[in-house]
Amino acid sequence: MSRPQPPSERRPWLVADIGGTNARFGLVEAPGTRPARVRRLEGAEHADLGAAAAAYLEQVDAPARPGAACVAVAGPVGGDRIRLTNSHWDFSASATRDRLGLDRLEVVNDFAALALSLPRLGEDDVLPLGGPPAAPDRPMAVLGPGTGLGVAGLVPAAGGWAPVPGEGGHVDVPAVEERELEVVRLLRARQGAVTAECLLCGPGLARLHDALAEVRGLGAPRRTAAEICAAAPRDPHCAETLDVFCCLLGGFAGNVALTLGATGGVFLGGGILPRIIPVVQSSGFRRRFEDKHRMAGYLQSVATMLIVAQEPALLGAAARLDQCLDPVQGGADEPAQQ
């Protein structure tokens, strides 16, 4: 398969981050630059990737057609057919490549792209949430609650980095404290298994709010994740919901760090946490991250960082295309290539 040409104004790279709700696009117009002309489109308003990409290119009045593209998608990647986990999009990568006139199309898991962005993040792109400084030469992990709960690792490989995507959000929820266990018992009786994603995502935050109200015997009105975040400073139940959410997330992040050996740091992304930074900082997140019995000392030496950069997965998509320029940098990562 031919390698992509370096990006230029005459033949830029198209990069995209496709989640369950939003589709974000940008153009890389010169080697080593950050994506420009970034726009967000509503996924539900477009039939598939090809339609959304065409709409984006028309919207920004792109000066040239892209020569290569890397698309990060919220779901497993393998083969030509791509089906998103929390969206109606179901498309053929090769047909999309031909429709857009691309020489090469890379499709990667969205959290694999987010993992690839980690070495490119600067000081202003992250906010420390406890522990020592990150160790960027060691294995790292990234996770984040958004429409779903994504997880990936990043490990050193020959000449660069290799992402390790997975479906870690679907492990069992790490309930430890009594109020968490009561919520899980309630939900388990109603729906069976309770995964981490069941509570640690946007819809999960709303589910946690309602279940906690039922456990407490409160007549709290139903709220969306955005409404819970906005109401928390004046609404005690919303404030408790966010505290439980952050504690569960801390326990989950500690599990990820131990599973992946992420001694370089655990990075948090997704669309929820940047809205509630003071809440996360004052919550039990870091305490629960470290509270792993004999492994507490191990985790005390692992940094936790919140990603505050705009559209970091687009940086990771560009990094993947950079790897395609030089196969040595690609390490062990072999996502779908078209």
Side-chain angles (χ1 to χ4, degrees), residues 292-315:
K292 300 295 180 184
H293 312 290
R294 287 181 292 179
M295 289 290 101
Y298 179 98
L299 289 172
Q300 287 166 6
S301 67
V302 176
T304 46
M305 315 283 285
L306 174 61
I307 300 172
V308 294
Q310 296 295 311
E311 318 302 353
L314 298 185
L315 290 177

Side-chain angles (χ1 to χ4, degrees), residues 13 113 116-117 120 314-324 329:
W13 287 346
L116 282 168
S117 78
R120 299 190 172 205
L314 298 185
L315 290 177
R320 175 58 197 162
L321 288 173
D322 277 338
Q323 288 184 334
C324 295
Q329 290 188 40

Side-chain angles (χ1 to χ4, degrees), residues 69-338:
C70 181
V71 179
V73 299
V77 174
D80 182 68
R81 202 79 203 170
I82 307 297
R83 296 176 176 86
L84 273 69
T85 301
N86 294 304
S87 168
H88 70 279
W89 283 15
D90 179 348
F91 61 90
S92 159
S94 58
T96 302
R97 177 200 63 203
D98 294 343
R99 175 177 179 177
L100 296 175
L102 300 168
D103 298 325
R104 182 166 183 143
L105 171 62
E106 291 280 314
V107 183
V108 298
N109 172 265
D110 59 340
F111 268 78
L114 196 54
L116 282 168
S117 78
L118 299 182
R120 299 190 172 205
L121 297 178
E123 250 182 54
D124 295 336
D125 293 327
V126 294
L127 179 70
L129 291 178
D137 57 336
R138 298 179 185 173
M140 295 178 277
V142 62
L143 58 97
T147 304
L149 177 61
V151 181
L154 188 71
V155 296
W161 292 92
V164 184
E167 293 298 322
H170 298 284
V171 302
D172 294 338
V173 66
V176 174
E177 298 176 1
E178 187 56 34
R179 60 183 178 175
E180 300 164 1
L181 293 169
E182 289 182 24
V183 165
V184 170
R185 280 193 288 266
L186 175 71
L187 293 175
R188 189 171 288 149
R190 185 174 297 161
Q191 66 187 44
V194 181
T195 66
E197 184 176 90
C198 180
L199 297 176
L200 296 177
C201 65
L205 180 58
R207 190 176 294 114
L208 176 62
H209 172 274
D210 295 345
L212 191 60
E214 190 170 341
V215 165
R216 294 281 195 245
L218 302 175
R222 290 181 177 272
R223 296 181 186 269
T224 66
E227 290 169 345
I228 294 166
C229 293
R234 63 184 184 279
D235 185 311
H237 180 62
C238 289
E240 183 182 15
T241 299
L242 288 180
D243 185 61
V244 175
F245 182 87
C246 291
C247 287
L248 286 171
L249 186 64
F252 177 75
N255 291 347
V256 169
L258 291 172
T259 301
L260 296 178
T263 55
V266 174
F267 293 75
L268 305 179
I272 296 174
L273 301 182
R275 304 182 196 175
I276 56 167
I277 290 174
V279 173
V280 180
Q281 291 173 319
S282 62
S283 73
F285 169 82
R286 181 70 196 191
R287 170 180 59 82
R288 286 287 292 278
F289 177 82
E290 296 178 2
D291 188 13
K292 300 295 180 184
H293 312 290
R294 287 181 292 179
M295 289 290 101
Y298 179 98
L299 289 172
Q300 287 166 6
S301 67
V302 176
T304 46
M305 315 283 285
L306 174 61
I307 300 172
V308 294
Q310 296 295 311
E311 318 302 353
L314 298 185
L315 290 177
R320 175 58 197 162
L321 288 173
D322 277 338
Q323 288 184 334
C324 295
L325 290 174
D326 180 3
V328 174
Q329 290 188 40
D333 179 39
E334 291 296 338
Q337 302 175 358
Q338 303 296 335

Side-chain angles (χ1 to χ4, degrees), residues 17-28:
D17 175 23
I18 313 299
T21 304
N22 299 311
R24 298 171 176 84
F25 292 90
L27 292 174
V28 179

